[in-house]
Amino acid sequence: MNDSISWAVLLRGTAAFRRGLLALGLWAAALLPAAGLAQDAPRPVTPLDGALERVTVHGTSLEGNLVGDDPDRPVSVYLPPSYDASPERRYPVVYVLHGFTDSDRGWFGWEEHFVNVPAALERGMEAGTVREMILVVPNAFTAYEGSMYSSSVTTGDWETFVAEELVGYVDRNYRTLPDRDSRGLAGHSMGGYGTLRIGMKRPDVFSSLYAMSPCCLEARLEPDSAAVAEARAITHPDQVPEADFLTKIVLAWAAAWSPDPNDPPLYLDLPWANGARQPDVVAEWAANAPLALMHQHVPELRRLAAIGLDAGAQDQPIASNTRAFAEGLAAYGIDHTVEIYDPGTHVSRIDARVENHVLPFFSDRLAFSE
């Protein structure tokens, strides 16, 4: 087993033992070597029958990114209850991509959040609607507070990191079913965008996709000049944490989609400069929109076994763009499911939808060993 795996993998113990430790309020950091388990994730907030680990995965594809983000990425891994007791058994894997300004810590229950994917899976298993599987989420929080899961010299090649390096690491270090038919990719918001972006390019790696409230689907031919002006007031990445949300996301888009290695220290181009629209930058942004990308990836989309989409009806323009993406799939005769649920905002009902829709979707469509 790879040395970079947390010591938690060696000391998982039984589910009853883990629950006892949590009940006693013992911190994992007190039981394990300090260098093994991430110090910002000492224990899950909800007791689990399975095991939750946080490991470090090195991204060669992220090395040398111009903004200086660490290529060693925290990754949370959930192992189902039978993993320790059935040493010959192998499991399908669902890779989960979190949203903008978010991280793996909230999504996998290291801290209180609007969603807890491992806990949702265990509720689904108890209800009989979800099967046992491994869950994985990488931390894609960057200097611009989100990678957009894109390929950029400024923030790194996240497409390759997710589809090759992360998948390769998990297959080497855990008892997976190392085949595309047993791999799913899911995400919310920025993660939903990443799911469609990566999934439509890599059907050789993932067989099934589920995008929840996917952002950034449409080509932005007229970027908001006022928002860009606010972003232009940022002169160094160190100022990003104090910026407002819209400013942060404009900078993240630019870092991901219009990188500029000749313009330090931000290393990006914005679609407005000196009061004039920059058509080349606008074209770069538009070229990264899934509603445009899908037309160049129809053969790959047809190779996917399953595509699921959803969005809350009040989450506009995301809901309308999600429906438009589904209509594009339908026009090409590509099988998919789509639901615009009402009521629903960008983060409402996400935990319940993971439990009742996303995880059952993969349980029905991925290949299991039994």
Side-chain angles (χ1 to χ4, degrees):
M1 186 166 287
N2 192 294
D3 291 340
S4 64
I5 286 189
S6 161
W7 277 89
V9 72
L10 302 178
L11 297 175
R12 279 194 292 268
T14 66
F17 178 70
R18 290 191 298 273
R19 288 197 300 271
L21 293 180
L22 288 169
L24 290 171
L26 296 176
W27 288 61
L31 301 175
L32 304 174
L37 191 62
Q39 295 302 298
D40 57 352
R43 58 178 176 139
V45 297
T46 300
L48 298 168
D49 290 329
L52 187 60
E53 303 175 356
R54 200 165 192 243
V55 301
T56 298
V57 178
H58 180 76
T60 303
S61 58
L62 305 179
E63 291 177 354
N65 67 85
L66 297 177
V67 79
D69 283 320
D70 193 341
D72 291 329
R73 305 306 302 184
V75 175
S76 289
V77 180
Y78 169 82
L79 303 174
S82 69
Y83 191 88
D84 289 329
S86 303
E88 302 302 316
R89 185 174 174 183
R90 291 184 171 272
Y91 301 81
V93 184
V94 173
Y95 292 83
V96 181
L97 306 181
H98 65 73
F100 187 63
T101 73
D102 218 335
S103 78
D104 63 306
R105 293 175 307 191
W107 273 76
F108 267 40
W110 296 112
E111 60 192 24
E112 295 290 348
H113 206 41
F114 62 84
V115 61
N116 184 329
V117 179
L121 184 142
E122 293 200 348
R123 293 194 304 270
M125 288 192 297
E126 184 176 359
T129 58
V130 177
R131 303 179 69 178
E132 288 195 332
M133 61 186 77
I134 294 173
L135 303 173
V136 177
V137 58
N139 186 338
F141 190 91
T142 67
Y144 291 110
E145 304 201 3
S147 68
M148 304 309 299
Y149 303 102
S150 299
S151 179
S152 162
V153 294
T154 299
T155 50
D157 182 1
W158 280 85
E159 291 183 355
T160 297
F161 176 73
V162 170
E164 296 183 14
E165 294 175 333
L166 179 61
V167 168
Y169 178 95
V170 172
D171 282 347
R172 287 192 303 273
N173 290 287
Y174 296 96
R175 295 198 314 276
T176 69
L177 291 165
D179 184 85
R180 67 178 292 274
D181 292 339
S182 297
R183 291 194 201 101
L185 183 62
H188 173 260
S189 192
M190 178 185 79
Y193 167 85
T195 294
L196 296 178
R197 178 190 180 100
I198 296 172
M200 76 170 71
K201 296 181 180 182
R202 299 305 303 266
D204 58 317
V205 178
F206 305 102
S207 66
S208 302
L209 314 178
Y210 198 112
M212 307 176 71
S213 307
C215 80
C216 318
L217 298 186
E218 81 281 17
R220 298 172 181 273
L221 300 180
E222 296 293 337
D224 186 330
S225 59
V228 173
E230 292 291 328
R232 193 166 292 283
I234 301 297
T235 59
H236 195 279
D238 289 348
Q239 299 171 292
V240 171
E242 304 306 317
D244 61 76
F245 183 86
L246 185 56
T247 298
K248 289 177 181 179
I249 202 164
V250 167
L251 290 167
W253 288 339
W257 304 334
S258 51
D260 186 346
N262 299 313
D263 192 10
L266 297 178
Y267 296 105
L268 54 81
D269 290 329
L270 292 167
W272 286 87
N274 301 317
R277 182 174 171 273
Q278 304 299 301
D280 289 348
V281 178
V282 172
E284 289 179 85
W285 285 27
N288 283 274
L291 280 169
L293 280 170
M294 69 183 304
H295 302 289
Q296 281 72 55
H297 294 283
V298 172
E300 294 94 333
L301 285 163
R302 284 178 171 156
R303 285 187 59 193
L304 292 166
I307 303 172
L309 306 161
D310 72 24
Q314 285 72 50
D315 187 14
Q316 294 294 352
I318 285 176
S320 297
N321 291 330
T322 299
R323 191 180 298 280
F325 192 89
E327 291 171 352
L329 294 175
Y332 287 115
I334 297 169
D335 189 34
H336 65 282
T337 65
V338 61
E339 182 182 359
I340 307 301
Y341 52 93
D342 190 3
T345 63
H346 194 58
V347 295
S348 68
R349 303 168 61 182
I350 299 302
D351 197 58
R353 292 199 65 82
V354 169
E355 176 187 347
N356 299 317
H357 297 270
V358 178
L359 295 174
F361 173 91
F362 289 113
S363 293
D364 289 343
R365 290 163 176 85
L366 295 181
F368 287 72
S369 58
E370 300 86 16

